[in-house]
């Protein structure tokens, strides 16, 4: 088994590696786009404290446009993303800094339908170890039941001794086909 990602055919309008760019890689295209962005950029005069005092933890899935889905503007929230939107030690670290140093009070957890972690198992780590000769220190955090995984994530936030504000922690499943959020009862 190889764990290296294959490069899919790009959909129309996607950033590609050739054509229209001064560089040959996707990163070169992103840098070109940044230069265009920076040419019209005006400092919004914000600080790092989110206006809405909320931190959103979500999956890194490219189909989730969190700002659009939640009606957020630049500066409204802290956004923490990883594979599966899993509440790991590093997410707790980020939430702790977000709350204790930057004033957030609420936590919104967003998982989604059709998550890639539903098709993986912890065998992924074993396969990776066989391929590269070293076992990853991290867990895959694969799951079969997205609702139960949201509940587990809510519990991890609510029971963390490092977080000051655990009374407003809510979890949701984003439906990638409808764009709707469905709230998960923590029970």
């Amino acid at each position: 088994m190889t764990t290296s990602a294959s490069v899919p055919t790009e959909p129309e309008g996607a950033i590609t590696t050739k054509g229209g760019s001064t560089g040959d890689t996707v990163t070169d295209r992103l840098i070109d786009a940044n230069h265009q962005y920076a040419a019209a950029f005006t400092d919004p005069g914000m600080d790092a404290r989110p206006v809405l005092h909320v931190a959103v933890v979500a999956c890194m899935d490219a189909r989730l446009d969190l700002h659009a889905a939640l009606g957020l503007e630049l500066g409204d929230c802290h956004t923490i993303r990883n594979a599966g939107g899993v509440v790991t030690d590093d997410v707790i670290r980020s939430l702790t800094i977000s709350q204790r140093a930057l004033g957030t009070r609420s936590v919104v957890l967003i998982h989604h339908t059709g998550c890639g972690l539903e098709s993986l198992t912890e065998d992924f780590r074993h396969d990776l170890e066989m391929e590269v000769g070293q076992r990853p220190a991290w867990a895959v955090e694969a799951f079969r039941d997205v609702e139960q995984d949201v509940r587990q994530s809510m519990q991890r936030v609510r029971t963390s001794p490092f977080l000051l504000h655990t009374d407003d922690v809510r979890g949701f499943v984003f439906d990638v086909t409808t764009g709707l959020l469905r709230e998960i009862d923590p029970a």
Side-chain angles (χ1 to χ4, degrees), residues 17-93:
T17 58
K18 297 266 187 197
S21 172
T22 58
D24 291 331
T25 69
V26 171
T27 303
D28 291 329
R29 291 283 310 274
L30 297 175
I31 297 302
D32 288 347
N34 173 256
H35 287 280
Q36 292 174 11
Y37 171 79
F41 183 78
T42 304
D43 180 0
M46 300 175 183
D47 71 15
R49 295 175 177 272
V51 173
L52 298 179
H53 306 287
V54 63
V56 178
V57 178
C59 185
M60 65 186 190
D61 192 294
R63 297 172 290 180
L64 277 67
D65 183 348
L66 293 174
H67 277 75
L70 300 174
L72 295 169
E73 299 293 329
L74 181 67
D76 282 348
C77 72
H78 283 159
T79 306
I80 304 161
R81 295 181 79 156
N82 67 21
V86 176
V87 176
T88 61
D89 287 345
D90 194 58
V91 168
I92 293 294
R93 178 188 72 87

Side-chain angles (χ1 to χ4, degrees), residues 106-145:
S106 301
V107 178
V108 173
L109 304 167
I110 300 178
H111 288 40
H112 65 92
T113 58
C115 185
L117 284 186
E118 291 176 289
S119 63
L120 291 177
T121 68
E122 290 299 321
D123 288 340
F124 181 84
R125 291 174 71 220
H126 173 75
D127 295 342
L128 192 56
E129 179 181 15
M130 295 295 100
E131 182 180 326
V132 302
Q134 181 178 342
R135 188 167 183 84
W138 39 262
V140 174
E141 297 274 358
F143 57 87
R144 294 282 178 250
D145 182 337

